[in-house]
Amino acid sequence: MKIAFPLLAIFLVAGIFFCAHHNWHPLPAATSIDRILVKKSDRKLSIFRDGKSLKTYRVALGGNPIGAKEQEGDRKTPEGVYTIDYRNPNSDYHLALHVSYPSDEDNTRAAQRGVNAGFDIMIHGLPNGHGWIGAFHRWKDWTAGCIALTDEEIEELWRVTPDGTPIEIRP
């Protein structure tokens, strides 16, 4: 009986860790996508090829997720159609795909209000050194306006997403 409880605790912790870090239904190696759709209200990022949905990931968003990004520091995730215009393998987060925010329209709207539209919106993994958090990061919207995945998920998305891929971010 004295051994049963510690063994049960070990199996429980191992099971939770596995579930938080497992990439369910991994995509084949040769996969390439041509579109990304983020539905902020659902906290979901879906990837497509030739109009067919290949996979959907659960995400965390900016810490103030309701509404479109209006200015630097508002902690909102933008809404609109952008592209993945470059990637940063040396990010402060585990890999980062850059979203082309702000558009000319975003800059114009911000300028009309006398503010900076913000910049550096990414799809990224967890902060470097914090990958152990895994899927638990989704319990709260925590980014400064970015879209966050687990490290295992961003590795897959990084692999299948060519630069220039359109990304639509909906409310």
Side-chain angles (χ1 to χ4, degrees):
M1 192 58 135
K2 291 181 181 181
I3 295 175
F5 182 73
L7 281 176
L8 180 62
I10 289 169
F11 282 117
L12 182 62
V13 169
I16 291 170
F17 183 84
F18 174 77
C19 289
H21 291 276
H22 185 68
N23 182 9
W24 302 98
H25 312 292
L27 296 170
T31 303
S32 179
I33 66 168
D34 59 16
R35 179 173 172 246
I36 298 171
L37 172 63
V38 176
K39 292 183 180 176
K40 289 173 46 175
S41 59
D42 295 339
R43 305 301 190 275
K44 292 189 177 173
L45 180 153
S46 300
I47 56 176
F48 298 83
R49 179 72 192 180
D50 298 326
K52 180 182 174 201
S53 176
L54 300 180
K55 191 167 185 176
T56 298
Y57 304 91
R58 291 180 48 228
V59 299
L61 301 171
N64 186 19
I66 307 299
K69 185 162 193 63
E70 297 176 342
Q71 67 184 58
E72 183 176 5
D74 64 8
R75 298 183 50 83
K76 292 181 181 284
T77 301
E79 295 172 4
V81 178
Y82 304 96
T83 59
I84 301 300
D85 56 357
Y86 69 87
R87 53 192 65 230
N88 183 356
N90 300 312
S91 167
D92 290 339
Y93 299 86
H94 187 71
L95 302 176
L97 297 169
H98 187 264
V99 176
S100 64
Y101 178 88
S103 66
D104 290 341
E105 294 82 17
D106 295 320
N107 280 325
T108 299
R109 279 193 298 276
Q112 288 170 345
R113 289 190 319 279
V115 297
N116 182 318
F119 59 95
D120 234 8
I121 299 298
M122 305 273 193
I123 302 171
H124 59 66
L126 299 175
N128 291 331
H130 292 88
W132 57 270
I133 296 170
F136 297 113
H137 83 97
R138 296 188 287 244
W139 284 359
K140 182 178 186 212
D141 290 314
W142 57 271
T143 75
C146 296
I147 300 160
L149 300 163
T150 67
D151 290 355
E152 294 82 6
E153 292 166 339
I154 191 63
E155 287 172 6
E156 180 173 70
L157 188 62
W158 176 280
R159 176 176 54 83
V160 302
T161 306
D163 288 350
T165 300
I167 175 171
E168 180 181 357
I169 306 171
R170 293 182 185 167

